[in-house]
Amino acid sequence: MMATLSGVAALLIASFAYRPQQFPGFKTEKLELDSTILDITTIAKNLNVPWEMVWGPDNMIWFTDHDGKVSRLNPKTGQTTELLQIKDYYRKRLGLMSMVLHPDWKTNPHVFINYTHIQPDSVIVSKLVRYTYNGKALIEPVLLKQIPGYLGHNGSRLVISKDRKLLWATGDLKQKETIHNPAFTNGKVLRLNLDGTIPADNPHPGSPAWAMGFRVPQGLTYTKNGNLFIAEHGDATDDEVNLVAKGGDYGWPNLAGFSDMPEEKKHSETRETIFPVKAWTPTIAPAGMDFYDGNIPEWKNALLLSTLKGQSLRVLKLDAKQEKILSEDIIFSQKFGRLRDVCGSPAGDIYISTSNRDWNPPANFPVTTDDRIIRISKSGVIPKNRRMVKTAKQADKQSTASLFANFCESCHKADGRGVPGSFPSLVTSSRLSGENTVLIPFLLKGSQSASGEGMPGFGFLTDEQLSDIVFYARSKFSSNTNVVSAREIGAIRAKN
Ligand SMILES: [Ca+2]
Ligand SMILES: [Ca+2]
């Protein structure tokens, strides 16, 4: 009897040890696509803004966090092992960001890491450092390149091409005048040899610049056929996904998205600009991106894009040439909060990481288990007679509340109180409660700010939309509930 019981116990323990779900309280949830059933399982929790996940040659997930740590996660057991704690990182908003592993791992067990550092003279820089893996830890740091950095707007994302070059997406550092100058590294895709030197066949001799005209790119991935896609944050409008070409100019800060405003048209007549393959207004804040070619048929040949403001995973189906986006599906809307990165495994599983402990958490997050790494895997097929017929998408009618949610809430928050030091409170705003002749020009044109984020111009919204937003914000957050009519806004717009 005892022997049998202990045998059962041993079996239970053995089977439990191999179950992917290590943490009590985390259950696998089901998600059904058109024909595929997915299992959704949290495999790691209590993390600290995991920015980058890379599938390692050891079938482990290598990931970074904002506070300078690199860890290895066993996707079968949920066990995490620390490999490196960088000491000289600087995290005000961004800290340790991107990482990529050398593709020739057996001969070159190198890991390339990009992080922010503050010098004794208070100048913020962005470092590219190569480490070597000794089987237990990352050792022997070698500084390959150091470029100017900033509190935010750093990008970044690293990938290595088939011809063994390092591609590095950098943010504009809010320095608009140097984005199109190859002597500067901001607002670009940089291309380097793996030792940090500049390849001889770069488009601008002696410069790491490969393509330029980007604002805040955080997604960079190759497709199967070798096309390079980048995802970036727009300002008030036009988050973008672009197909990166050697020497290409992608428009920012002269153009956002497509050439549809008068000043953009003027600019694109005189300078050759490459337009996005997809742009989003209202913005979604796209972050990590990975090409998917695994065993989930609905998502095969797609770019998977994680979004922060959008709090979702976007499935962007590509055409056969992997040059155009044919369709978009939105998964997990607001379910897990902000999603920072996405990583596919050779078996076809997908891993997403949350970013609810970063500097700009959304309403209702972080939850106690944040941040998390969550696995999406195929677990079955829906029988043909049970499949749903897709209904047409609802018309894109925006209520006043959703206008505020789409254009104002990610900064000023649903309660109007903003983020101290970054985004001003509307509740205490003298501008919101003050004269229309001051408020409206500010809304139309925005402002740059020496501290904090500044305010983008919202002149692209119609007079009616602006009138609705002012009415909504004043009635919710201000004692001044005066209406400003669309006509009045039109008159102010004509004068400015
Ligand atoms: Ca662009
Ligand atoms: Ca535009």
Side-chain angles (χ1 to χ4, degrees):
M1 189 72 177
M2 286 300 287
T4 313
L5 265 182
S6 63
V8 169
L11 263 174
L12 278 173
I13 289 162
S15 66
F16 185 74
Y18 285 97
R19 283 181 65 182
Q21 192 183 314
Q22 191 194 31
F23 304 105
F26 279 116
K27 289 177 188 155
T28 291
E29 290 180 55
K30 299 284 181 193
L31 178 71
E32 293 193 351
L33 303 179
D34 290 348
S35 66
T36 308
I37 304 167
L38 301 176
D39 275 359
I40 315 297
T41 313
T42 296
I43 63 159
K45 62 175 184 170
N46 301 328
L47 304 175
N48 183 11
V49 193
W51 180 285
E52 178 82 71
M53 293 182 290
V54 178
W55 192 266
D58 50 1
N59 288 320
M60 301 279 179
I61 295 168
W62 294 54
F63 69 96
T64 66
D65 78 28
H66 252 5
D67 281 333
K69 200 182 282 182
V70 179
S71 307
R72 227 169 52 140
L73 167 64
N74 183 335
K76 289 184 178 161
T77 63
Q79 190 184 17
T80 294
T81 316
E82 189 178 323
L83 301 175
L84 171 69
Q85 174 63 63
I86 291 172
K87 302 269 177 19
D88 66 337
Y89 75 95
Y90 174 63
R91 177 181 175 183
K92 175 92 182 222
R93 291 190 185 167
L94 308 177
L96 173 50
M97 295 171 289
S98 38
M99 171 176 74
V100 65
L101 272 51
H102 198 302
D104 308 315
W105 187 254
K106 275 190 181 152
T107 49
N108 299 284
H110 296 320
V111 176
F112 302 84
I113 297 172
N114 172 226
Y115 63 94
T116 311
H117 167 72
I118 189 162
Q119 298 180 158
D121 59 3
S122 300
V123 172
I124 301 169
V125 295
S126 178
K127 286 184 169 188
L128 176 68
V129 181
R130 190 195 76 195
Y131 282 83
T132 301
Y133 183 58
N134 68 359
K136 281 184 185 158
L138 292 171
I139 57 167
E140 296 170 357
V142 177
L143 180 66
L144 299 183
K145 196 152 184 77
Q146 182 170 300
I147 62 174
Y150 185 63
L151 292 176
H153 286 236
N154 275 295
S156 75
R157 203 59 73 171
L158 298 169
V159 293
I160 293 176
S161 62
K162 273 185 195 159
D163 65 350
R164 303 298 187 254
K165 304 294 183 216
L166 189 71
L167 283 297
W168 178 5
T170 64
D172 70 357
L173 311 180
K174 297 174 99 177
Q175 301 289 322
K176 292 181 181 175
E177 59 283 357
T178 54
I179 294 171
H180 293 274
N181 185 339
F184 292 81
T185 50
N186 61 321
K188 296 190 173 69
V189 173
L190 308 177
R191 180 173 178 260
L192 300 169
N193 294 314
L194 297 187
D195 62 2
T197 59
I198 294 166
D201 58 344
N202 270 12
H204 309 276
S207 165
W210 180 254
M212 53 183 72
F214 303 103
R215 187 173 173 272
V216 182
Q218 293 184 4
L220 193 65
T221 188
Y222 279 102
T223 61
K224 196 177 185 177
N225 68 4
N227 284 344
L228 181 63
F229 281 90
I230 188 169
E232 63 169 316
H233 292 201
D235 197 358
T237 67
D238 294 294
D239 289 334
E240 300 180 10
V241 168
N242 284 286
L243 175 55
V244 180
K246 177 181 181 178
D249 173 0
Y250 289 81
W252 180 255
N254 307 102
L255 270 116
F258 300 96
S259 186
D260 41 18
M261 303 294 277
E263 283 177 9
E264 293 179 319
K265 282 179 186 157
K266 220 187 286 170
H267 178 82
S268 59
E269 279 165 13
T270 57
R271 192 175 163 123
E272 196 178 326
T273 307
I274 302 174
F275 297 117
V277 292
K278 188 161 179 67
W280 289 265
T281 302
T283 55
I284 55 174
M289 185 164 65
D290 208 356
F291 174 71
Y292 185 74
D293 202 33
N295 61 351
I296 301 169
E298 291 90 337
W299 296 357
K300 210 170 164 62
N301 195 41
L303 295 170
L304 303 180
L305 176 66
S306 58
T307 73
L308 301 165
K309 180 183 167 189
Q311 299 182 43
S312 57
L313 180 71
R314 306 289 167 123
V315 180
L316 310 171
K317 287 282 276 188
L318 293 170
D319 67 335
K321 288 183 176 171
Q322 295 167 357
E323 290 173 350
K324 292 180 188 152
I325 292 172
L326 302 177
S327 66
E328 176 184 22
D329 273 327
I330 303 173
I331 316 292
F332 304 132
S333 196
Q334 302 195 330
K335 184 176 171 67
F336 298 114
R338 288 155 73 80
L339 299 181
R340 181 66 70 172
D341 198 22
V342 53
C343 168
S345 82
D349 297 341
I350 297 157
Y351 297 83
I352 52 174
S353 65
T354 68
S355 190
N356 295 319
R357 295 194 183 276
D358 66 23
W359 65 285
N360 194 16
N364 306 320
F365 288 97
V367 297
T368 51
T369 50
D370 278 328
D371 277 311
R372 294 174 275 173
I373 292 176
I374 298 154
R375 178 177 50 223
I376 305 161
S377 56
K378 179 175 177 174
S379 62
V381 176
I382 304 169
K384 280 213 168 99
N385 60 2
R386 251 199 348 102
R387 289 180 196 172
M388 304 280 280
V389 180
K390 266 195 179 171
T391 53
K393 282 191 178 153
Q394 283 192 334
D396 190 23
K397 193 175 183 328
Q398 294 183 333
S399 71
T400 308
S402 76
L403 276 172
F404 183 86
N406 286 331
F407 293 106
C408 316
E409 197 173 299
S410 67
C411 298
H412 295 295
K413 305 301 166 195
D415 64 2
R417 294 188 181 273
V419 175
S422 298
F423 302 124
S425 166
L426 297 179
V427 179
T428 57
S429 167
S430 57
R431 224 182 244 123
L432 181 65
S433 58
E435 295 293 324
N436 293 339
T437 49
V438 175
L439 175 66
I440 302 304
F442 176 75
L443 278 178
L444 289 169
K445 297 218 158 155
S447 78
Q448 287 300 314
S449 164
S451 63
E453 274 295 285
M455 161 99 166
F458 287 87
F460 61 90
L461 294 174
T462 66
D463 297 340
E464 286 77 15
Q465 287 173 320
L466 286 168
S467 168
D468 285 352
I469 284 181
V470 172
F471 174 72
Y472 179 85
R474 276 187 173 159
S475 51
K476 270 201 93 147
F477 309 122
S478 165
S479 55
N480 175 359
T481 53
N482 286 344
V483 172
V484 50
S485 69
R487 214 168 139 185
E488 200 178 334
I489 290 172
I492 295 172
R493 193 194 286 267
K495 276 191 209 152
N496 278 271

